[in-house]
Amino acid sequence: MQLQQFVTETIEELGGIVIPVEYALCQVLIPKDYASFFQNKTELTLAFDFEVAQENPNAEFVTFGSFILEQLLTIVHQNATCTLRFAEIERLKLGNPLKKITEFLADRQGKITIFEEQPVLGVWAVFGYNVTFVADERIESVEQVWVNLQTNEIDLFMKQEQNRIVYKQTPLYTYPISGSIDILQALNAATKYVQSLVEKQKSEQSNRLILEKDIERITNYYSELLVENEKRSNRKGLSEDKVKEIKTKSEAIKLERDKQLQEIYNKYNGQIELNLDNGILYFIPILEYKIEIVFRGEAKEQKLYYNPVTKSFFSR
């Protein structure tokens, strides 16, 4: 999904108004209920292209990491349906942890020592997206993305193993949460991941060869019309009004050509609509290990985490 489409649809969903001005530039009216997110401004001019932003100094340039997008993602997060799930782990214990940690860090040189082990709560955010691909027909699908909030990385293994998780809706353990978590950063990571995923699917669904042939056919057809019209304008004895009429027709031909090319492009490439539908937070007991690695007289400390669901280690 294009960034401009995401921002536009989000603002309109909140009750705001988006008025296109020109390519990659629009004026926005923000509902008063959300003005505090945008420094108490209710009227904004947004640019979605760097050059357009430079040409319009009063416009806010919207891109990944920009203030406007971050605030919109915050609002989306606050308004999305969210559920808390507390996983139940039967046996939070790892046999022979030093051996298994050594195997996990097989590429690290040095002597490994465990000097602290404790149970903590790991947190995973699960974002559910509704994805719609609109071309000749409308194709809808659902994408679920797991993000490890300890690392802010996409976690494909937890997605695969989620059916093994037994959970309740109320807290089961009093373990501390492992470090600080940033849900907004996780939402950014998940959204970018889904965007790249659906763009790849979109490319696979497009028949590039047929698209190129249709573009060539339309381009050649209108090129011939322009050539014929140009010949008419070069005839002798034409009045100034007639020459002007022929030139106007040439511009009309170009506009029609561009319209036809855009329609063909949309037909084969389609449009992607991406909407965040829901979110789930999983609180899962994990084991935290503080280790020391000594190599050539130099000691380094590190934290490792053991996930009993995937039966694997990870580190921040």
Side-chain angles (χ1 to χ4, degrees):
M1 182 182 184
Q2 293 182 354
L3 182 60
Q4 183 171 352
Q5 182 182 353
F6 171 78
V7 171
T8 297
E9 291 182 356
T10 301
I11 291 173
E12 290 177 344
E13 187 67 23
L14 296 174
I17 298 174
V18 179
I19 305 171
V21 177
E22 58 182 70
Y23 167 74
L25 185 71
C26 62
Q27 293 179 341
V28 171
L29 297 179
I30 301 292
K32 290 182 179 180
D33 291 343
Y34 297 100
S36 60
F37 288 88
F38 304 97
Q39 299 174 333
N40 293 320
K41 295 179 181 178
T42 56
E43 297 183 15
L44 298 170
T45 301
L46 306 182
F48 298 88
D49 180 89
F50 181 71
E51 292 183 358
V52 172
Q54 287 186 316
E55 294 170 0
N56 297 270
N58 63 323
E60 298 272 358
F61 180 41
V62 182
T63 186
F64 291 108
S66 64
F67 172 76
I68 297 295
L69 183 59
E70 293 293 324
Q71 295 303 95
L72 283 175
L73 288 173
T74 299
I75 295 172
V76 167
H77 167 67
Q78 291 182 357
N79 286 276
T81 302
C82 186
T83 302
L84 303 182
R85 293 179 177 178
F86 301 89
E88 184 175 4
I89 302 297
E90 289 185 5
R91 184 172 177 271
L92 188 60
K93 189 171 180 61
L94 179 62
N96 203 348
L98 181 58
K99 178 184 177 183
K100 292 175 181 176
I101 288 174
T102 302
E103 292 172 351
F104 175 69
L105 299 175
D107 59 336
R108 296 284 299 273
Q109 293 180 308
K111 181 182 178 182
I112 299 174
T113 304
I114 299 174
F115 62 88
E116 188 176 328
E117 173 186 344
Q118 68 169 338
V120 295
L121 282 180
V123 187
W124 277 260
V126 183
F127 300 104
Y129 294 85
N130 287 327
V131 181
T132 304
F133 181 79
V134 183
D136 283 348
E137 59 182 8
R138 188 181 182 92
I139 302 172
E140 296 183 353
S141 62
V142 175
E143 291 291 342
Q144 187 189 72
V145 184
W146 283 67
V147 182
N148 184 336
L149 293 186
Q150 288 69 230
T151 62
N152 282 318
E153 295 177 347
I154 307 301
D155 197 328
L156 298 178
F157 295 111
M158 284 294 282
K159 182 179 179 181
Q160 293 171 3
E161 300 294 329
Q162 62 180 296
N163 291 333
R164 296 179 53 216
I165 301 174
V166 178
Y167 63 85
K168 298 186 182 298
Q169 303 294 339
T170 55
L172 296 169
Y173 307 95
T174 57
Y175 304 144
I177 291 178
S178 171
S180 60
I181 58 176
D182 189 336
I183 296 179
L184 180 57
Q185 188 176 346
L187 178 59
N188 275 324
T191 302
K192 289 179 183 179
Y193 175 77
V194 174
Q195 285 172 336
S196 64
L197 190 65
V198 296
E199 285 293 341
K200 181 181 178 182
Q201 293 172 348
K202 172 182 170 181
S203 298
E204 291 172 351
Q205 291 177 10
S206 301
N207 190 322
R208 309 305 302 179
L209 182 60
I210 297 177
L211 171 62
E212 290 170 3
K213 285 184 178 180
D214 276 356
I215 288 176
E216 183 180 5
R217 174 177 58 81
I218 292 295
T219 302
N220 290 340
Y221 172 73
Y222 283 99
S223 293
E224 291 175 3
L225 290 181
L226 287 170
V227 169
E228 288 299 318
N229 210 50
E230 185 66 23
K231 288 180 180 178
R232 290 178 59 199
S233 67
N234 292 330
R235 287 185 302 178
K236 295 181 180 180
L238 294 177
S239 66
E240 185 176 338
D241 288 343
K242 190 64 177 178
V243 172
K244 186 176 180 181
E245 177 187 333
I246 294 172
K247 288 184 177 180
T248 300
K249 186 175 181 180
S250 291
E251 292 302 316
I253 291 172
K254 292 177 183 178
L255 289 173
E256 183 61 25
R257 176 201 61 196
D258 293 343
K259 178 184 176 182
Q260 292 285 338
L261 289 173
Q262 187 62 49
E263 288 178 355
I264 289 174
Y265 179 83
N266 291 340
K267 174 184 175 181
Y268 286 100
N269 287 275
Q271 300 297 318
I272 293 173
E273 299 173 3
L274 179 65
N275 296 292
L276 179 65
D277 182 63
N278 59 75
I280 304 171
L281 286 181
Y282 277 89
F283 295 85
I284 301 175
I286 60 177
L287 290 173
E288 179 184 81
Y289 291 94
K290 293 181 181 179
I291 65 171
E292 182 182 67
I293 304 175
V294 180
F295 180 64
R296 293 180 178 176
E298 183 180 355
K300 292 184 178 180
E301 293 184 2
Q302 184 178 346
K303 284 184 181 180
L304 290 181
Y305 299 89
Y306 177 75
N307 182 352
V309 177
T310 59
K311 300 187 185 305
S312 61
F313 291 95
F314 66 87
S315 60
R316 281 184 178 272

